[in-house]
Amino acid sequence: LDVSPAPKEDCLMSRTRQITERHHRPRRQWGRLSRILLGVFFALLLLVSLLPLAGRVINIGVVAPAAASALGLAACVWTPFFRRILQYIWQRKGLRVILIVLMALVAILLVWFIVVSVMMLRGAARPAPKNATVIVLGAAVYGETPCLMLTQRLDAAARYLDANPDAACILSGGQGPGEDISEAEAMKRYLLEKGVDESRLYMEDKSTNTFENIQFSKRILEEHRLSPTVVIATQEFHQYRAQAFARRAGLTDAGPCTCHTPPYLLLCYWVREFAAISRMLLLGY
């Protein structure tokens, strides 16, 4: 018995398939293009995330962006595999709940990152008061040579001191592993070579972190009766937390003396500082 569709029905079915194919083709093309664009984005982000390794810098600011971008790139390259995993999870109630919670936490984290980033930008953009006491925050010293980020802070301090002849400067930083002299001593030598008068420089060589930088510098400020109005010489990402510690120490009038992070290190230190500010706001230190 011949049960094949009549020619008219066959033509109608073929026409329906053609319409459906034309309807879905742009969607598939757009999906393919969006995966390619996202893949390129995540590949570039991974490259930028790993650049600090060339300077032997490794911290959470390197690991977190690198891991996130590697996962995103893998999802773009092996989309069917990840889709099957998500379908498997979604079909099981317990795993589905865990996935929803994780997605909500990621969304909250992204919003929090934006909020903290705005706070960091505002801290760096505040106007600097005139003839304030400059506090230069320490950073790594290789033997007796200040690292790049420390020289940037010192250059910013030198410019401020040149523009404000009544300003004094506290150089804050102790001696860490691999450092032949204290960070304060290395900073003093650098500024003396820049032509800054030694009488304007005060050394604080006991601190080991940002909070101690500020706390111990305040003691020197009070001991020598320097101006209680301060500007803090450090990178833009560091300004918000440094000024917050200054206010906590009683230096209520604190402003920025900002220098800019090298572009290849900015993402690394921005993420690291985001983690440090989050800890400070949530745990108090």
Side-chain angles (χ1 to χ4, degrees):
L1 180 63
D2 185 5
V3 293
S4 59
K8 184 180 291 186
E9 294 174 351
D10 191 32
C11 182
L12 180 61
M13 291 173 63
S14 176
R15 180 65 176 167
T16 301
R17 283 196 298 269
Q18 291 175 3
I19 294 173
T20 303
E21 182 68 21
R22 283 201 301 268
H23 176 73
H24 288 290
R25 189 181 299 121
R27 185 180 300 176
R28 288 199 297 269
Q29 291 174 344
W30 169 246
R32 189 178 301 112
L33 177 61
S34 62
R35 286 197 300 274
I36 292 173
L37 293 176
L38 278 173
V40 171
F41 168 77
F42 283 121
L44 291 174
L45 182 60
L46 179 60
L47 175 63
V48 172
S49 300
L50 296 177
L51 282 177
L53 294 177
R56 296 178 297 176
V57 175
I58 182 166
N59 52 46
I60 190 174
V62 175
V63 175
S69 54
L71 181 61
L73 180 59
C76 293
V77 174
W78 295 294
T79 301
F81 172 73
F82 279 84
R83 186 181 292 121
R84 286 195 297 271
I85 292 177
L86 288 176
Q87 289 173 347
Y88 176 84
I89 293 173
W90 198 256
Q91 291 168 0
R92 286 154 179 80
K93 185 176 180 180
L95 294 177
R96 184 166 68 243
V97 171
I98 293 174
L99 178 62
I100 292 172
V101 171
L102 288 176
M103 292 173 64
L105 290 175
V106 169
I108 292 171
L109 182 63
L110 289 175
V111 172
W112 179 240
F113 181 80
I114 293 171
V115 170
V116 172
S117 294
V118 170
M119 294 161 59
M120 293 163 68
L121 290 171
R122 290 182 62 185
R126 292 183 59 204
K130 301 294 185 181
N131 291 308
T133 301
V134 185
I135 299 176
V136 185
L137 302 184
V141 171
Y142 301 125
E144 298 182 2
T145 305
C147 68
L148 172 62
M149 298 188 76
L150 185 52
T151 59
Q152 290 179 326
R153 297 176 187 184
L154 292 167
D155 289 339
R159 289 191 296 269
Y160 184 90
L161 292 170
D162 184 58
N164 296 270
D166 294 331
C169 182
I170 300 175
L171 309 170
S172 179
Q175 184 174 349
E179 298 176 343
D180 296 337
I181 56 175
S182 70
E183 294 167 10
E185 177 63 31
M187 289 190 275
K188 182 177 180 180
R189 294 180 186 180
Y190 185 91
L191 288 178
L192 289 175
E193 290 178 1
K194 285 280 187 178
V196 178
D197 193 316
E198 186 173 5
S199 64
R200 304 175 73 185
L201 303 178
Y202 299 83
M203 289 201 307
E204 181 287 297
D205 58 3
K206 303 299 181 186
S207 57
T208 60
N209 55 49
T210 302
F211 182 70
E212 290 182 355
N213 285 149
I214 301 298
Q215 194 175 43
F216 297 170
S217 294
K218 185 192 175 188
R219 297 174 187 171
I220 293 177
L221 184 147
E222 292 173 339
E223 179 183 347
H224 295 276
R225 299 183 180 180
L226 304 177
S227 171
T229 300
V230 301
V231 292
I232 301 171
T234 189
Q235 276 72 21
E236 69 284 275
F237 67 83
H238 202 196
Q239 283 291 348
Y240 175 82
R241 187 160 60 103
Q243 293 173 39
F245 282 146
R247 289 190 292 272
R248 186 179 297 181
L251 301 172
T252 55
D253 193 2
C257 177
T258 301
C259 55
H260 298 289
T261 310
Y264 74 97
L265 291 174
L266 183 58
L267 176 62
C268 160
Y269 281 104
W270 198 274
V271 172
R272 179 175 179 266
E273 188 66 14
F274 161 73
I277 291 174
S278 298
R279 183 189 65 185
M280 180 189 73
L281 295 175
L282 296 175
L283 303 179
Y285 65 93

